[in-house]
Amino acid sequence: MPLQEELVDLARTYLARQEEWSALAQRLRFNLGKITYPDALEADLLYPVKAQKPNGKFAAVDGGLGAEEFHGLDLLVLRALAVQFEYSDGKLVKHVYHPSRRPEAILQARAGLEQFEKLRFISLYRLKAELSCAIEVMEKHAPDYLLIDGSLAPLVSDKPPEDSQFRQLYAEVVELYRKLYSTAASRSINLVGVTKDSRGRRFIDMLSSSMPESAQALEHASDTAFLDLLLKEGERTFAFRYSAAPSQNPVLKDLGEWAGRILTFYIKPVAGDRPLRIELLAAAAPFEQIAQVMSGLCRL
């Protein structure tokens, strides 16, 4: 089959799936309050969110990196940076960088890495830098909210096998996650993970479990692809636990008791953009307050 015909077939297949998802989304909205979701922490599937003007201190952490492969050598250059913004009635009144506006870069090099180990090498050092920066900014500046770019937990792909040279590095990263949680909890800081391009399956699996007749239609759907059709501007989903069985997850079980305290929901602050996946610790502010604050920040 010519490439052009293959592309047309692919587009038709995807559009057909979107039509199925859209019809299912309408059916779910029509049946609000009539379907139960056993793993949900709230009664309803969807909730309206009233955006709240940001007030107080909001710190956000992110990192940048450059990775280059040379003959027999993998080189990694990275830096992590936090910025704390202080708002009053929705207006920015002050900001501060940590550790500085242009922090020194961190250099790491490894030789003889296989491809999958190279990816793990990059991810673990990035996490170590960003988590260290996040902990430091909480200890030094005590923000009301600390925003992490991405999940509040490591990924399964981050965990190396027992014989990996990165096993110790992974242990250090896990310990940093635990310190991140304990620092936020002890200082009453709302720790929030924000993922703008989530491709998770847990929410989809929860829907399929409650509506078995829709499982086939949702087989190829990711969370935000479907929720973009389900959620309207100013709405969020119910909150649920990050994992149904954290003690059985190969990575989450390394986080100890904290793994069971990571909660999740999705929110659509503005029209025309994909929903955000929001993660928080169970000891943080109520779901609704986090949703209102995050919606207000995004609408800026």
Side-chain angles (χ1 to χ4, degrees), residues 38 60 76 129 145 251:
L76 175 64
Y145 286 81
V251 170

Side-chain angles (χ1 to χ4, degrees), residues 204-224:
I204 297 298
D205 291 340
M206 292 170 66
L207 294 183
S208 297
S209 178
S210 295
M211 298 181 64
E213 70 278 8
S214 303
Q216 186 174 356
L218 291 171
E219 182 180 1
H220 300 285
S222 62
D223 49 8
T224 53

Side-chain angles (χ1 to χ4, degrees), residues 22-96:
S22 182
L24 175 57
Q26 294 303 314
R27 190 157 69 250
L28 284 168
R29 297 190 71 90
F30 181 77
N31 288 295
L32 287 178
K34 302 176 183 177
I35 303 173
T36 58
Y37 304 91
D39 287 342
L41 299 178
E42 299 172 278
D44 293 329
L45 172 63
L46 303 178
Y47 290 86
V49 177
K50 184 178 180 180
Q52 178 179 308
K53 291 182 180 180
N55 278 289
K57 300 175 181 179
F58 296 80
V61 180
D62 201 358
L65 61 86
E68 192 66 42
E69 182 177 340
F70 297 96
H71 181 65
L73 181 70
D74 290 298
L75 185 65
L76 175 64
V77 182
L78 60 88
R79 58 168 52 130
L81 171 66
V83 187
Q84 179 168 280
F85 301 94
E86 186 172 347
Y87 292 93
S88 177
D89 195 29
K91 295 182 179 180
L92 180 65
V93 295
K94 184 180 179 182
H95 72 280
V96 60

Side-chain angles (χ1 to χ4, degrees), residues 184-245:
S186 65
R187 295 171 181 259
S188 299
I189 296 171
N190 293 296
L191 181 63
V192 182
V194 184
T195 304
K196 56 187 176 296
D197 53 356
S198 175
R199 298 192 179 192
R201 284 285 310 178
R202 174 147 163 73
F203 186 83
I204 297 298
D205 291 340
M206 292 170 66
L207 294 183
S208 297
S209 178
S210 295
M211 298 181 64
E213 70 278 8
S214 303
Q216 186 174 356
L218 291 171
E219 182 180 1
H220 300 285
S222 62
D223 49 8
T224 53
F226 177 72
L227 285 167
D228 191 37
L229 299 170
L230 176 64
L231 287 172
K232 294 183 179 180
E233 180 180 8
E235 289 184 338
R236 70 171 177 90
T237 68
F238 55 65
F240 56 96
R241 298 194 185 281
Y242 183 93
S243 172

Side-chain angles (χ1 to χ4, degrees), residues 175-187:
E175 189 56 37
L176 285 172
Y177 270 108
R178 290 178 174 177
K179 188 174 182 181
L180 178 79
Y181 308 144
S182 62
T183 303
S186 65
R187 295 171 181 259

